[in-house]
Each structure stands twice: as C-alpha cells, then as structure tokens.
Amino acid sequence: MDHNVILEALKEAVGPDQVQVGSAIDPRYLSDWFVPIERGAPLALVRPGTTRDVSDLLRVCHANRLPVVPQGGLTGLSGGATPLDQSVLLSLERMTGIEELDPAAATMTARAGTPLQTIQEAARAAGFFFPLDLGARGSCQIGGNAATNAGGNRVIRFGMMRELVLGLEAVLADGTVITSLNKMLKNNAGYDLKHLFIGSEGTLGVITRVVLRLHPEPKSVCTALCSVTDYENAVALLRHAKQGMGGALSAFEMMWPDFYELVTRKVPGITPPIRYGYGGYVLIEALGSDQTPDQARFENMLQAALEQGLIEDAVIAQSRGESNALWRVRDASGEITQLLDLQAKFDISIPTNDIGRFVDACRTAVKSRWPNSQSVSFGHIGDSNVHFNVHVGAENGEPQDAALERMVYDMVRDWKGSISAEHGIGLLKRDYLGHSRTPEEIQLMRTLKRTLDPYGILNPGKVL
Ligand code: FAD
Ligand code: ZN
C-alpha cells in the first residue's frame, strides 16, 4: 500500500484531526528526555482516544509492516520512546482519566496516558496512597511507568511498578485487545500475562489501561539525614534501620561525598544540612500512622545507631517543611546533568554489599583513563541500585562516550550486576544486554517477541 493510502487508513482509525504527517509533526514528539532522533523522520504521529482506536491503528500498521513507537510522557532515560525513521509515533496523551477507585479492593483503574501526579493526587483525595514517585511525576504517564517498570525512591518498602500493578489492558501488534483488568491480590489462574507487558518498553504490546494497587495514606513522616564514615557503615545502618523501624522504613538513599558536595555547593537554595568531610550521607525516611510515637521510635533508632558508631552525625526533621528541605538535597539529582554536562548516567544494580567497592573501582578506573573526568554517585542502596554519573569531555576532539560505556558496563558484567536497575534498556543499552543476561535468556526473549509481534513492528531496535 502506498503511504497516502496508509495515512488515510490511520485517519480513519483515530480521526483525521489526530494524525500529524511528516514535517507537520510537532517537534516535541521527535526526541525523548535523553535521546533525540538520530536520522530519518517518522511518517506520522497518531493520538488515539480509545483502546478501540489503538486496536484499529495497530491493525493498519501490522498489515502494512509499519514500525510503531509507543510514546508516553517522553521522560524515559534510555531512549525507548525515541522516534524511528518511517515509523508511526503512537502517543497515549489523549487517553487520560481515572475510571474507577474501589475502596474495598484498594485499587484504582486508570487509562494509560494519565500523568503519575494525577494518580497520586486522586489516591490521596480518596484517603489512599499510590507510592510510586519519581522526579518526572508531572510529565510521565502511568502507562509509561508500567512499560518501564519504574522504580524510584520508595521501592525498598512498596516495590517497583511490577508490585503496584494488579491488572492491565494491552493491545497486541495485530490489534488484538487483551483485557486483563484483575483487581484481586490472589489470582493463579494460569500465566500472569501482565508481567509480559510490564517492563517490556513498548516492544510486546501497547498498554491502554492499568489496575493499580493502593496503600493506606501514611499519617506520619519521619526523615533524617545522617553522615557515615564509609559504605560499610551505611550497609550496617540499613540493617539497623530496617530492624528498628519494622516495615515502616520507606527510603534509604545514599549520597557519596562527590554528589553531596556538588549539589550543596552548586544548586541555588540548597545549603548543606551536615558539614563536609564524611564518607557518605544517607537520607532515611519512615512512613507510619501516628507522628508522636513514630517520631520517638525513629529518634531512638538513630540514637542507638549513634551509640553503636554506625553514624557520625544526624539532622532529624521536626516538620514537613524540614523533611522537604532534606529531600531537596537528594532530589537535586535531577540537576546534575546540567551542572556537570554529563555524558553518561549509569543506572546500575550490584549486590548491596559490593556497591561501595564497585563505586570505588569504577571511579578509579575512569579517573586513570581520563584524568580530567568527574563522577558523582548516589543510589537506592537498599534496592542494590547505584546511579554513577560521569563527565569525561572530549579527547583530542574525539567523543569518549562509547569507550566510557564499554569500560563501565564491562565492570558491571565482571561484578555480576545489571546494566539497568530501573531505567530500562531502550536504545542506549541494547548492545550490552548480553552483559547481564545469558544467551538462553535472550533467546527466550526473542521467542516471546516473535510470538507476540511476528512482523516486529512494535518499537523495533529497542531492548533486543
Ligand atoms: P516514555 O519515556 O514516553 O516511554 C518509555 C518507554 O515506554 C518507551 O520504550 C515507550 O515506547 C514505552 N511506553 C510508554 N508508554 C507506553 C504504553 N502505554 N504502552 C507501551 N509502551 C509504552 N525512572 C525510575 O525508574 N526511577 C526514577 O527515580 C526515575 N526518576 C526520573 C527522574 C527524572 C527527572 C526523569 C526525567 C526520569 C526519571 N525516570 C525514573 C525515568 C522513568 O523511566 C520515566 O520517567 C517513566 O517511567 C517513563 O514514563 P513516560 O510516560 O515518560 O514514558
Ligand atoms: Zn533512581
């Protein structure tokens, strides 16, 4: 079929006003947060309004072997939503809204294009809590969060998206709609199909609706920033805090001195809550049900940590305002890309016990190869996840990105870690998938991909 006929078919599927063609595509769809389109140009952008529209347009693309790139809020950090040459961009942005909140089941059913922040606010308004939270909350979509299995700061207690989705609806490459809007915590009736789509970065199906698991709204927040002498003490403090706070520990965020000093010196409006000179800084948060007794237990836990020599100093927030001020230090991670002109943001998992030595080894290796480089590290160490960020610059006018990636990912392989803890594979890490997955695992992924998408139209060249 020639392109004009295909475009007419797409217009019929989603309505003529919802199709932008070629050079008329609004440029904001042409790059995602981190990766601009490299070459070529997409054929069209389509903005379906319903699951039916998604099914109709995928049927057209399937029949014509046209690549389709699902696009959520475009905040992904691995280039998964980056447009491909001659592809159809499928934006979920019109498919917003909460369809149901079921207080007895503690679930919310929402359309995939709903922004995360809207979900959080709707849960709160009904006396519930949706724990997924990340810096891109205002722009990213719940469907994008599911498609990337997003993590964030509270994984240590509530898990990643995979643990927060009970059911979903997805449309397969050929237009088949799989409606699996399960609301029950227990359901072992055959394979749990939702997990095929969660974390598959738009390569196995287009997610159109999700059933989310809600938690009770926390009534107390306890927050502290602590300094530690070294990484080993941070790990000992993690164990101590988990034991001391029972199930209430909701964040345990480690900042290495390079990160802490950079953001407290350079980001306007942030002053260092604790003086410089320690081996690490840890932000601890616990969510509970009664502020006064919870705060007492939290402070007792920290007092014991001080007496046992696990921490050197601590600033304990006495109000929500003070808690927010401590979080500002950690949340300044969103600003380091500009501050350092970063070349690479490595989102790595390494077994928790080894992270400290791994970061030291990486920093040393990068520094000895590129003496003028600068790196900063922070991470959700309770989840085995460290973010290692590097500025190298050019060498004799030559970009060093590829050599830097190879060096760090080879180390991740040797340390038996994962090249993607929470940001996904997308375009950026595809060449390194084999560093963290066996050939048999990759073969099975390919078999699944071929079965669900025989012509390979869904996000080709991403992940696999
Ligand atoms: P997009 O970027 O639009 O798409 C991401 C991938 O999902 C693409 O492969 C796309 O094709 C696919 N996709 C999107 N929607 C659908 C759908 N409905 N069906 C099928 N496939 C789809 N991530 C974390 O895990 N933890 C963090 O703490 C974190 N912090 C961040 C902070 C900032 C400031 C930013 C910019 C990003 C951060 N991220 C974080 C990255 C995170 O993965 C994304 O923010 C989010 O999950 C992606 O949602 P999105 O709607 O923007 O998806
Ligand atoms: Zn993170």
Side-chain angles (χ1 to χ4, degrees):
M1 224 188 276
D2 82 12
H3 278 168
N4 286 334
V5 181
I6 293 171
L7 290 170
E8 284 312 309
L10 289 175
K11 284 179 184 165
E12 198 167 314
V14 299
D17 297 347
Q18 304 306 338
V19 180
Q20 299 175 15
V21 178
S23 56
I25 298 175
D26 186 330
R28 72 193 166 93
Y29 302 99
L30 294 183
S31 65
D32 67 11
W33 193 272
F34 216 53
V35 188
I37 186 167
E38 275 182 2
R39 65 199 145 73
L43 188 66
L45 166 84
V46 292
R47 304 190 320 142
T50 64
T51 301
R52 176 73 197 274
D53 289 357
V54 175
S55 169
D56 288 349
L57 77 88
L58 283 177
R59 211 171 297 120
V60 172
C61 296
H62 184 76
N64 293 285
R65 318 287 194 263
L66 266 186
V68 176
V69 180
Q71 293 193 328
L74 297 170
T75 69
L77 299 175
S78 301
T82 306
L84 300 167
D85 190 29
Q86 294 300 301
S87 62
V88 172
L89 307 180
L90 192 173
S91 169
L92 277 298
E93 70 187 356
R94 286 177 64 228
M95 293 180 58
T96 60
I98 289 152
E99 295 188 345
E100 187 203 50
L101 194 146
D102 180 338
T107 60
M108 185 195 287
T109 306
R111 297 191 191 113
T114 312
L116 172 60
Q117 192 169 340
T118 306
I119 303 276
Q120 293 172 332
E121 286 166 2
R124 207 170 299 125
F128 284 97
F129 179 57
F130 184 64
L132 181 77
D133 193 31
L134 31 109
R137 66 185 74 76
S139 312
C140 64
Q141 301 175 359
I142 199 69
N145 298 146
T148 58
N149 187 27
N153 294 340
R154 300 206 181 97
V155 170
I156 194 172
R157 171 146 166 210
F158 300 101
M160 299 177 80
M161 244 334 239
R162 211 175 275 291
E163 280 79 36
L164 299 171
V165 176
L166 285 175
L168 54 72
E169 179 180 75
V171 186
L172 303 184
D174 67 359
T176 306
V177 179
I178 305 290
T179 301
S180 186
L181 296 172
N182 169 68
K183 285 202 219 172
M184 301 168 291
L185 215 48
K186 290 187 171 175
N187 185 348
N188 276 349
Y191 301 156
D192 199 341
L193 298 173
K194 65 176 179 280
H195 290 304
L196 281 174
F197 304 102
I198 301 171
S200 68
E201 301 180 58
T203 61
L204 297 182
V206 177
I207 298 169
T208 47
R209 287 193 280 176
V210 287
V211 180
L212 303 170
R213 185 177 176 189
L214 304 178
H215 287 265
E217 191 187 12
K219 297 279 188 258
S220 74
V221 181
C222 303
T223 318
L225 181 74
C226 309
S227 56
V228 293
T229 49
D230 52 29
Y231 183 79
E232 281 62 40
N233 270 350
V235 174
L237 176 63
L238 171 64
R239 211 161 48 231
H240 172 85
K242 273 186 177 168
Q243 262 159 7
M245 297 312 294
L249 186 73
S250 53
F252 194 91
E253 297 291 307
M254 168 99 177
M255 292 168 271
W256 272 255
D258 44 26
F259 174 92
Y260 183 76
E261 292 183 23
L262 178 78
V263 302
T264 54
R265 284 186 209 278
K266 292 277 174 66
V267 178
I270 298 187
T271 46
I274 291 181
R275 71 170 176 81
Y276 301 138
Y278 295 105
Y281 302 82
V282 181
L283 183 69
I284 306 180
E285 181 195 77
L287 298 174
S289 54
D290 194 346
Q291 190 69 43
T292 306
D294 290 344
Q295 186 81 16
R297 192 153 66 112
F298 188 68
E299 292 185 9
N300 286 342
M301 179 274 290
L302 290 173
Q303 182 62 35
L306 198 62
E307 284 160 14
Q308 291 170 33
L310 301 180
I311 58 179
E312 300 303 302
D313 197 359
V315 174
I316 303 173
Q318 300 299 332
S319 65
R320 289 283 168 115
E322 288 182 19
S323 166
N324 293 342
L326 295 180
W327 269 109
R328 283 254 311 130
V329 180
R330 168 61 183 78
D331 284 342
S333 60
E335 284 156 72
I336 57 176
T337 305
Q338 285 82 12
L339 283 178
L340 275 189
D341 185 19
L342 283 181
Q343 245 140 346
K345 291 153 83 89
F346 294 100
D347 160 42
I348 296 165
S349 272
I350 295 283
T352 295
N353 207 36
D354 302 336
I355 291 179
R357 285 180 296 113
F358 175 82
V359 168
D360 288 346
C362 262
R363 201 190 300 116
T364 305
V366 170
K367 199 84 189 162
S368 56
R369 170 67 185 78
W370 294 279
N372 295 326
S373 63
Q374 196 178 348
S375 62
V376 293
S377 307
F378 62 96
H380 324 275
I381 64 168
D383 320 331
S384 311
N385 180 189
V386 60
H387 295 300
F388 180 65
N389 303 278
V390 190
H391 168 80
V392 166
E395 197 174 75
N396 305 322
E398 290 291 312
Q400 300 296 299
D401 309 37
L404 173 65
E405 276 177 16
R406 172 148 297 279
M407 173 183 275
V408 174
Y409 287 140
D410 282 355
M411 291 182 73
V412 173
R413 178 196 55 203
D414 297 346
W415 288 65
K416 307 217 176 329
S418 172
I419 58 161
S420 172
E422 56 179 7
H423 297 164
I425 298 295
L427 268 183
L428 290 184
K429 299 173 212 165
R430 199 181 59 144
D431 294 347
Y432 292 98
L433 188 60
H435 277 41
S436 296
R437 294 293 195 179
T438 64
E440 293 78 11
E441 285 177 306
I442 293 175
Q443 199 49 48
L444 180 55
M445 290 184 202
R446 292 220 160 94
T447 304
L448 286 170
K449 169 76 176 164
R450 254 198 319 276
T451 306
L452 291 172
D453 179 12
Y455 302 141
I457 64 162
L458 282 179
N459 230 354
K462 314 283 176 71
V463 183
L464 283 171

mmCIF file of all heavy atoms in Angstrom, residues 15-52:
data_model
loop_
_atom_site.group_PDB
_atom_site.id
_atom_site.type_symbol
_atom_site.label_atom_id
_atom_site.label_comp_id
_atom_site.label_asym_id
_atom_site.label_seq_id
_atom_site.Cartn_x
_atom_site.Cartn_y
_atom_site.Cartn_z
ATOM 1 N N GLY A 15 -9.378 9.222 13.600
ATOM 2 C CA GLY A 15 -9.970 10.539 13.314
ATOM 3 C C GLY A 15 -8.931 11.431 12.664
ATOM 4 O O GLY A 15 -7.770 11.456 13.103
ATOM 5 N N PRO A 16 -9.320 12.185 11.621
ATOM 6 C CA PRO A 16 -8.354 12.963 10.832
ATOM 7 C C PRO A 16 -7.603 14.015 11.639
ATOM 8 O O PRO A 16 -6.435 14.296 11.366
ATOM 9 C CB PRO A 16 -9.225 13.614 9.751
ATOM 10 C CG PRO A 16 -10.640 13.382 10.140
ATOM 11 C CD PRO A 16 -10.692 12.252 11.102
ATOM 12 N N ASP A 17 -8.235 14.569 12.681
ATOM 13 C CA ASP A 17 -7.565 15.617 13.466
ATOM 14 C C ASP A 17 -6.444 15.057 14.336
ATOM 15 O O ASP A 17 -5.642 15.817 14.880
ATOM 16 C CB ASP A 17 -8.565 16.310 14.405
ATOM 17 C CG ASP A 17 -9.653 17.011 13.622
ATOM 18 O OD1 ASP A 17 -9.476 17.152 12.402
ATOM 19 O OD2 ASP A 17 -10.675 17.375 14.237
ATOM 20 N N GLN A 18 -6.435 13.755 14.513
ATOM 21 C CA GLN A 18 -5.468 13.162 15.442
ATOM 22 C C GLN A 18 -4.282 12.524 14.724
ATOM 23 O O GLN A 18 -3.563 11.718 15.294
ATOM 24 C CB GLN A 18 -6.169 12.142 16.361
ATOM 25 C CG GLN A 18 -7.346 12.716 17.125
ATOM 26 C CD GLN A 18 -6.986 13.975 17.922
ATOM 27 O OE1 GLN A 18 -5.818 14.213 18.248
ATOM 28 N NE2 GLN A 18 -7.987 14.797 18.231
ATOM 29 N N VAL A 19 -4.083 12.903 13.483
ATOM 30 C CA VAL A 19 -2.926 12.400 12.730
ATOM 31 C C VAL A 19 -2.116 13.590 12.234
ATOM 32 O O VAL A 19 -2.650 14.487 11.585
ATOM 33 C CB VAL A 19 -3.375 11.541 11.518
ATOM 34 C CG1 VAL A 19 -2.155 11.033 10.740
ATOM 35 C CG2 VAL A 19 -4.241 10.370 11.978
ATOM 36 N N GLN A 20 -0.842 13.642 12.599
ATOM 37 C CA GLN A 20 0.058 14.673 12.066
ATOM 38 C C GLN A 20 1.036 13.961 11.125
ATOM 39 O O GLN A 20 1.555 12.900 11.467
ATOM 40 C CB GLN A 20 0.832 15.362 13.194
ATOM 41 C CG GLN A 20 -0.065 16.079 14.204
ATOM 42 C CD GLN A 20 0.730 16.644 15.381
ATOM 43 O OE1 GLN A 20 1.950 16.763 15.350
ATOM 44 N NE2 GLN A 20 0.020 16.996 16.450
ATOM 45 N N VAL A 21 1.298 14.562 10.002
ATOM 46 C CA VAL A 21 2.064 13.857 8.972
ATOM 47 C C VAL A 21 3.410 14.542 8.709
ATOM 48 O O VAL A 21 3.478 15.768 8.569
ATOM 49 C CB VAL A 21 1.252 13.791 7.655
ATOM 50 C CG1 VAL A 21 2.058 13.096 6.560
ATOM 51 C CG2 VAL A 21 -0.063 13.068 7.892
ATOM 52 N N GLY A 22 4.471 13.727 8.642
ATOM 53 C CA GLY A 22 5.797 14.170 8.209
ATOM 54 C C GLY A 22 6.267 15.442 8.891
ATOM 55 O O GLY A 22 6.322 15.526 10.125
ATOM 56 N N SER A 23 6.585 16.468 8.084
ATOM 57 C CA SER A 23 7.175 17.685 8.655
ATOM 58 C C SER A 23 6.176 18.464 9.512
ATOM 59 O O SER A 23 6.554 19.400 10.217
ATOM 60 C CB SER A 23 7.700 18.578 7.522
ATOM 61 O OG SER A 23 6.632 18.844 6.630
ATOM 62 N N ALA A 24 4.894 18.091 9.460
ATOM 63 C CA ALA A 24 3.903 18.788 10.291
ATOM 64 C C ALA A 24 3.850 18.224 11.720
ATOM 65 O O ALA A 24 3.106 18.730 12.557
ATOM 66 C CB ALA A 24 2.526 18.689 9.640
ATOM 67 N N ILE A 25 4.667 17.196 11.995
ATOM 68 C CA ILE A 25 4.655 16.627 13.357
ATOM 69 C C ILE A 25 5.280 17.635 14.322
ATOM 70 O O ILE A 25 6.369 18.162 14.068
ATOM 71 C CB ILE A 25 5.440 15.295 13.419
ATOM 72 C CG1 ILE A 25 4.794 14.259 12.496
ATOM 73 C CG2 ILE A 25 5.510 14.774 14.846
ATOM 74 C CD1 ILE A 25 5.570 12.951 12.405
ATOM 75 N N ASP A 26 4.568 17.907 15.406
ATOM 76 C CA ASP A 26 5.075 18.828 16.431
ATOM 77 C C ASP A 26 6.443 18.319 16.935
ATOM 78 O O ASP A 26 6.561 17.158 17.327
ATOM 79 C CB ASP A 26 4.050 18.853 17.573
ATOM 80 C CG ASP A 26 4.374 19.880 18.636
ATOM 81 O OD1 ASP A 26 5.567 20.167 18.830
ATOM 82 O OD2 ASP A 26 3.437 20.383 19.282
ATOM 83 N N PRO A 27 7.480 19.195 16.914
ATOM 84 C CA PRO A 27 8.842 18.730 17.264
ATOM 85 C C PRO A 27 8.969 18.131 18.662
ATOM 86 O O PRO A 27 9.892 17.359 18.909
ATOM 87 C CB PRO A 27 9.694 20.005 17.168
ATOM 88 C CG PRO A 27 8.869 21.002 16.454
ATOM 89 C CD PRO A 27 7.427 20.594 16.517
ATOM 90 N N ARG A 28 8.017 18.427 19.576
ATOM 91 C CA ARG A 28 8.198 17.877 20.925
ATOM 92 C C ARG A 28 8.088 16.348 20.947
ATOM 93 O O ARG A 28 8.520 15.710 21.900
ATOM 94 C CB ARG A 28 7.246 18.518 21.910
ATOM 95 C CG ARG A 28 5.808 18.132 21.800
ATOM 96 C CD ARG A 28 4.955 19.100 22.628
ATOM 97 N NE ARG A 28 3.558 18.975 22.316
ATOM 98 C CZ ARG A 28 2.719 18.184 22.979
ATOM 99 N NH1 ARG A 28 3.152 17.479 23.985
ATOM 100 N NH2 ARG A 28 1.463 18.104 22.622
ATOM 101 N N TYR A 29 7.535 15.745 19.886
ATOM 102 C CA TYR A 29 7.462 14.282 19.836
ATOM 103 C C TYR A 29 8.716 13.668 19.208
ATOM 104 O O TYR A 29 8.835 12.463 19.104
ATOM 105 C CB TYR A 29 6.250 13.832 19.011
ATOM 106 C CG TYR A 29 4.932 14.351 19.545
ATOM 107 C CD1 TYR A 29 4.326 15.468 18.979
ATOM 108 C CD2 TYR A 29 4.307 13.731 20.623
ATOM 109 C CE1 TYR A 29 3.116 15.946 19.473
ATOM 110 C CE2 TYR A 29 3.104 14.210 21.120
ATOM 111 C CZ TYR A 29 2.516 15.320 20.545
ATOM 112 O OH TYR A 29 1.331 15.794 21.036
ATOM 113 N N LEU A 30 9.622 14.532 18.745
ATOM 114 C CA LEU A 30 10.749 13.993 17.968
ATOM 115 C C LEU A 30 11.949 13.576 18.804
ATOM 116 O O LEU A 30 12.912 13.021 18.292
ATOM 117 C CB LEU A 30 11.184 15.008 16.911
ATOM 118 C CG LEU A 30 10.128 15.271 15.821
ATOM 119 C CD1 LEU A 30 10.655 16.227 14.779
ATOM 120 C CD2 LEU A 30 9.659 13.971 15.180
ATOM 121 N N SER A 31 11.927 13.889 20.095
ATOM 122 C CA SER A 31 13.009 13.376 20.933
ATOM 123 C C SER A 31 12.413 13.090 22.291
ATOM 124 O O SER A 31 11.424 13.719 22.673
ATOM 125 C CB SER A 31 14.141 14.397 21.057
ATOM 126 O OG SER A 31 13.678 15.529 21.741
ATOM 127 N N ASP A 32 12.995 12.135 23.006
ATOM 128 C CA ASP A 32 12.534 11.994 24.379
ATOM 129 C C ASP A 32 13.539 12.694 25.282
ATOM 130 O O ASP A 32 14.401 13.449 24.816
ATOM 131 C CB ASP A 32 12.235 10.533 24.744
ATOM 132 C CG ASP A 32 13.451 9.649 24.773
ATOM 133 O OD1 ASP A 32 14.572 10.178 24.721
ATOM 134 O OD2 ASP A 32 13.279 8.421 24.845
ATOM 135 N N TRP A 33 13.430 12.494 26.558
ATOM 136 C CA TRP A 33 14.208 13.261 27.530
ATOM 137 C C TRP A 33 15.705 13.252 27.235
ATOM 138 O O TRP A 33 16.406 14.224 27.373
ATOM 139 C CB TRP A 33 13.944 12.677 28.923
ATOM 140 C CG TRP A 33 14.415 13.539 30.044
ATOM 141 C CD1 TRP A 33 15.652 13.552 30.609
ATOM 142 C CD2 TRP A 33 13.643 14.534 30.736
ATOM 143 N NE1 TRP A 33 15.692 14.474 31.612
ATOM 144 C CE2 TRP A 33 14.487 15.093 31.712
ATOM 145 C CE3 TRP A 33 12.324 14.995 30.619
ATOM 146 C CZ2 TRP A 33 14.053 16.090 32.579
ATOM 147 C CZ3 TRP A 33 11.906 15.981 31.484
ATOM 148 C CH2 TRP A 33 12.762 16.517 32.435
ATOM 149 N N PHE A 34 16.180 12.104 26.757
ATOM 150 C CA PHE A 34 17.629 11.914 26.723
ATOM 151 C C PHE A 34 18.176 11.690 25.322
ATOM 152 O O PHE A 34 19.338 11.935 25.066
ATOM 153 C CB PHE A 34 17.975 10.698 27.610
ATOM 154 C CG PHE A 34 19.261 10.859 28.351
ATOM 155 C CD1 PHE A 34 19.500 11.978 29.128
ATOM 156 C CD2 PHE A 34 20.242 9.885 28.274
ATOM 157 C CE1 PHE A 34 20.688 12.130 29.810
ATOM 158 C CE2 PHE A 34 21.438 10.028 28.963
ATOM 159 C CZ PHE A 34 21.658 11.157 29.730
ATOM 160 N N VAL A 35 17.331 11.181 24.402
ATOM 161 C CA VAL A 35 17.862 10.781 23.098
ATOM 162 C C VAL A 35 17.080 11.440 21.960
ATOM 163 O O VAL A 35 15.920 11.122 21.732
ATOM 164 C CB VAL A 35 17.782 9.242 22.915
ATOM 165 C CG1 VAL A 35 18.504 8.830 21.642
ATOM 166 C CG2 VAL A 35 18.368 8.537 24.118
ATOM 167 N N PRO A 36 17.677 12.348 21.223
ATOM 168 C CA PRO A 36 16.990 12.923 20.061
ATOM 169 C C PRO A 36 16.981 11.923 18.916
ATOM 170 O O PRO A 36 17.771 10.983 18.897
ATOM 171 C CB PRO A 36 17.855 14.138 19.705
ATOM 172 C CG PRO A 36 19.196 13.817 20.261
ATOM 173 C CD PRO A 36 19.020 12.869 21.405
ATOM 174 N N ILE A 37 16.095 12.126 17.962
ATOM 175 C CA ILE A 37 16.070 11.243 16.799
ATOM 176 C C ILE A 37 17.405 11.370 16.075
ATOM 177 O O ILE A 37 17.955 12.462 15.923
ATOM 178 C CB ILE A 37 14.893 11.572 15.868
ATOM 179 C CG1 ILE A 37 14.797 10.540 14.752
ATOM 180 C CG2 ILE A 37 14.951 12.989 15.333
ATOM 181 C CD1 ILE A 37 13.487 10.600 13.978
ATOM 182 N N GLU A 38 17.965 10.239 15.649
ATOM 183 C CA GLU A 38 19.313 10.277 15.082
ATOM 184 C C GLU A 38 19.314 10.560 13.584
ATOM 185 O O GLU A 38 20.101 11.319 13.073
ATOM 186 C CB GLU A 38 20.010 8.942 15.342
ATOM 187 C CG GLU A 38 20.654 8.926 16.718
ATOM 188 C CD GLU A 38 21.389 7.643 16.990
ATOM 189 O OE1 GLU A 38 21.451 6.773 16.118
ATOM 190 O OE2 GLU A 38 21.909 7.531 18.115
ATOM 191 N N ARG A 39 18.422 9.888 12.895
ATOM 192 C CA ARG A 39 18.418 10.061 11.442
ATOM 193 C C ARG A 39 17.008 9.785 10.938
ATOM 194 O O ARG A 39 16.203 9.162 11.624
ATOM 195 C CB ARG A 39 19.413 9.098 10.785
ATOM 196 C CG ARG A 39 19.019 7.667 10.976
ATOM 197 C CD ARG A 39 20.165 6.710 10.752
ATOM 198 N NE ARG A 39 20.027 5.604 11.677
ATOM 199 C CZ ARG A 39 19.131 4.650 11.564
ATOM 200 N NH1 ARG A 39 18.268 4.664 10.572
ATOM 201 N NH2 ARG A 39 19.057 3.670 12.443
ATOM 202 N N GLY A 40 16.719 10.253 9.730
ATOM 203 C CA GLY A 40 15.418 9.999 9.138
ATOM 204 C C GLY A 40 14.317 10.779 9.820
ATOM 205 O O GLY A 40 14.580 11.692 10.602
ATOM 206 N N ALA A 41 13.085 10.407 9.513
ATOM 207 C CA ALA A 41 11.950 11.122 10.081
ATOM 208 C C ALA A 41 10.765 10.181 10.177
ATOM 209 O O ALA A 41 10.581 9.307 9.322
ATOM 210 C CB ALA A 41 11.597 12.292 9.178
ATOM 211 N N PRO A 42 9.958 10.318 11.224
ATOM 212 C CA PRO A 42 8.774 9.468 11.308
ATOM 213 C C PRO A 42 7.760 9.845 10.238
ATOM 214 O O PRO A 42 7.729 10.989 9.772
ATOM 215 C CB PRO A 42 8.236 9.739 12.707
ATOM 216 C CG PRO A 42 8.863 11.001 13.156
ATOM 217 C CD PRO A 42 10.111 11.205 12.385
ATOM 218 N N LEU A 43 6.950 8.874 9.904
ATOM 219 C CA LEU A 43 5.936 9.072 8.873
ATOM 220 C C LEU A 43 4.777 9.909 9.417
ATOM 221 O O LEU A 43 4.299 10.838 8.769
ATOM 222 C CB LEU A 43 5.419 7.686 8.466
ATOM 223 C CG LEU A 43 4.499 7.570 7.279
ATOM 224 C CD1 LEU A 43 5.256 7.957 6.017
ATOM 225 C CD2 LEU A 43 4.008 6.115 7.183
ATOM 226 N N ALA A 44 4.348 9.554 10.632
ATOM 227 C CA ALA A 44 3.171 10.231 11.181
ATOM 228 C C ALA A 44 3.141 10.094 12.694
ATOM 229 O O ALA A 44 3.788 9.208 13.263
ATOM 230 C CB ALA A 44 1.908 9.613 10.599
ATOM 231 N N LEU A 45 2.392 11.014 13.306
ATOM 232 C CA LEU A 45 2.101 10.902 14.734
ATOM 233 C C LEU A 45 0.600 10.671 14.857
ATOM 234 O O LEU A 45 -0.186 11.408 14.240
ATOM 235 C CB LEU A 45 2.479 12.208 15.448
ATOM 236 C CG LEU A 45 1.901 12.329 16.857
ATOM 237 C CD1 LEU A 45 2.788 11.627 17.864
ATOM 238 C CD2 LEU A 45 1.695 13.772 17.246
ATOM 239 N N VAL A 46 0.208 9.660 15.636
ATOM 240 C CA VAL A 46 -1.219 9.436 15.839
ATOM 241 C C VAL A 46 -1.536 9.532 17.328
ATOM 242 O O VAL A 46 -0.737 9.121 18.174
ATOM 243 C CB VAL A 46 -1.673 8.055 15.298
ATOM 244 C CG1 VAL A 46 -1.577 8.029 13.786
ATOM 245 C CG2 VAL A 46 -0.866 6.929 15.895
ATOM 246 N N ARG A 47 -2.705 10.108 17.626
ATOM 247 C CA ARG A 47 -3.096 10.283 19.026
ATOM 248 C C ARG A 47 -4.472 9.639 19.242
ATOM 249 O O ARG A 47 -5.500 10.321 19.177
ATOM 250 C CB ARG A 47 -3.126 11.764 19.374
ATOM 251 C CG ARG A 47 -1.769 12.464 19.091
ATOM 252 C CD ARG A 47 -1.713 13.868 19.657
ATOM 253 N NE ARG A 47 -2.948 14.572 19.475
ATOM 254 C CZ ARG A 47 -3.483 15.402 20.371
ATOM 255 N NH1 ARG A 47 -2.857 15.633 21.503
ATOM 256 N NH2 ARG A 47 -4.626 16.007 20.133
ATOM 257 N N PRO A 48 -4.481 8.321 19.479
ATOM 258 C CA PRO A 48 -5.763 7.633 19.668
ATOM 259 C C PRO A 48 -6.464 8.119 20.934
ATOM 260 O O PRO A 48 -5.807 8.582 21.877
ATOM 261 C CB PRO A 48 -5.345 6.166 19.812
ATOM 262 C CG PRO A 48 -3.931 6.215 20.284
ATOM 263 C CD PRO A 48 -3.330 7.430 19.662
ATOM 264 N N GLY A 49 -7.808 7.991 20.931
ATOM 265 C CA GLY A 49 -8.568 8.405 22.108
ATOM 266 C C GLY A 49 -9.097 7.231 22.913
ATOM 267 O O GLY A 49 -9.467 7.389 24.073
ATOM 268 N N THR A 50 -9.128 6.054 22.306
ATOM 269 C CA THR A 50 -9.710 4.888 22.987
ATOM 270 C C THR A 50 -8.881 3.638 22.662
ATOM 271 O O THR A 50 -8.095 3.623 21.710
ATOM 272 C CB THR A 50 -11.144 4.618 22.485
ATOM 273 O OG1 THR A 50 -11.066 4.284 21.091
ATOM 274 C CG2 THR A 50 -12.052 5.829 22.667
ATOM 275 N N THR A 51 -9.133 2.574 23.448
ATOM 276 C CA THR A 51 -8.493 1.292 23.191
ATOM 277 C C THR A 51 -8.856 0.804 21.784
ATOM 278 O O THR A 51 -8.025 0.253 21.065
ATOM 279 C CB THR A 51 -8.948 0.257 24.240
ATOM 280 O OG1 THR A 51 -8.583 0.750 25.533
ATOM 281 C CG2 THR A 51 -8.301 -1.089 24.018
ATOM 282 N N ARG A 52 -10.090 1.042 21.421
ATOM 283 C CA ARG A 52 -10.553 0.646 20.091
ATOM 284 C C ARG A 52 -9.721 1.325 19.006
ATOM 285 O O ARG A 52 -9.312 0.705 18.018
ATOM 286 C CB ARG A 52 -12.044 1.003 19.994
ATOM 287 C CG ARG A 52 -12.692 0.756 18.685
ATOM 288 C CD ARG A 52 -12.888 -0.743 18.448
ATOM 289 N NE ARG A 52 -13.146 -0.972 17.035
ATOM 290 C CZ ARG A 52 -14.351 -0.900 16.477
ATOM 291 N NH1 ARG A 52 -15.398 -0.649 17.222
ATOM 292 N NH2 ARG A 52 -14.486 -1.091 15.186
#
